Amino acid sequence: EPLGASYEASSPTFLPRRERPIGDLIEVRTSIRMAGYPAVTVDGGPVSRYHDRWVGIGRIAASDPAPSVLLAGFSGGAHCCATLTAIVPHQGRLRVLEFEAVDGGPDESFPEDIDLDGVVDFVRHDDSFRYAFAGGGGSWSPPVVYNIHESRIVDVSTRPGFRHLWEDYAREARIHCADRSNEDRNGACGAYVAAAARLGRYAEAMG
């Protein structure tokens, strides 16, 4: 069926969708067909039959010639992983872009244009901080913001329009870092220093 046929591109949404199980696992395979573009098939790999998948349809840039399709899911496991694939129209083809999988479950809403520049912003997190300063439960992963530009995933976290994200994150991390009753406070402290560095306050945070 034509996914999202009844949805306006200016009002994108995620559609919850569960694939039919085959044994204990399912092999997720999605075919994308769009007028004017050669069809593409995306293989998502085997996942638990109990995990939902989400499909989002909408323009990721105001200048895009057609909507993009986002496929989000959960690979399974105690700490892993939220997957995200974007199928975007570019130069007459549908390009398949894979975001790095991150800890946690998938987003269930279409990304928003946070800095109002006409391009939606994908807010993920930096899992390189996991287990670096604390155990899994005490680890903090600072946010990372991506745009899709000319069929490439680009890290735009340092742009001024996202400063408020870092301010909010630094404020929360600092509270947990200062809590000396928290045995895993080092996880929050590492994240606080990283956020402060983004804001130009590295020396202050280290002091």
Side-chain angles (χ1 to χ4, degrees):
E1 62 184 21
L3 293 176
S6 62
Y7 292 82
E8 296 292 334
S10 60
S11 181
T13 184
F14 268 111
L15 308 176
R17 182 179 177 88
R18 184 183 294 276
E19 302 289 343
R20 186 172 63 181
I22 303 175
D24 291 331
L25 298 176
I26 57 173
E27 183 77 22
V28 178
R29 175 171 293 176
T30 308
S31 295
I32 310 296
R33 296 177 176 86
M34 191 180 302
Y37 296 89
V40 298
T41 298
V42 180
D43 292 320
V47 296
S48 169
R49 63 192 178 97
Y50 300 107
H51 298 150
D52 285 334
R53 315 293 289 180
W54 285 265
V55 178
I57 300 175
R59 280 180 168 80
I60 58 174
S63 59
D64 281 354
S68 293
V69 178
L70 305 181
L71 306 176
F74 178 61
S75 66
H79 294 290
C80 212
C81 283
T83 62
L84 179 62
T85 303
I87 298 90
V88 303
H90 182 69
Q91 296 182 346
R93 294 176 56 191
L94 295 177
R95 313 284 179 150
V96 180
L97 307 177
E98 295 278 354
F99 286 80
E100 184 176 355
V102 294
D103 179 70
D107 292 330
E108 299 177 30
S109 58
F110 203 89
E112 300 178 353
D113 179 7
I114 298 173
D115 60 347
L116 304 178
D117 66 346
V119 180
V120 301
D121 304 303
F122 295 82
V123 181
R124 309 281 279 173
H125 51 260
D126 184 356
D127 273 352
S128 67
F129 279 68
R130 296 195 61 78
Y131 300 99
F133 304 100
S139 292
W140 286 58
S141 297
V144 185
V145 185
Y146 298 101
N147 280 176
I148 292 179
H149 177 68
E150 295 184 350
S151 76
R152 292 182 299 112
I153 299 173
V154 181
D155 186 340
V156 295
S157 303
T158 58
R159 291 182 180 174
F162 306 118
R163 186 178 179 86
H164 67 284
L165 295 179
W166 291 101
E167 292 280 7
D168 292 343
Y169 187 84
R171 186 179 304 111
E172 182 179 2
R174 187 178 187 278
I175 291 173
H176 290 268
C177 174
D179 181 5
R180 296 187 178 277
S181 67
N182 179 8
E183 294 181 355
D184 289 324
R185 60 190 289 264
N186 282 345
C189 291
Y192 167 62
V193 171
R198 288 277 193 182
L199 296 166
R201 300 201 294 260
Y202 174 78
E204 174 186 335
M206 289 298 293

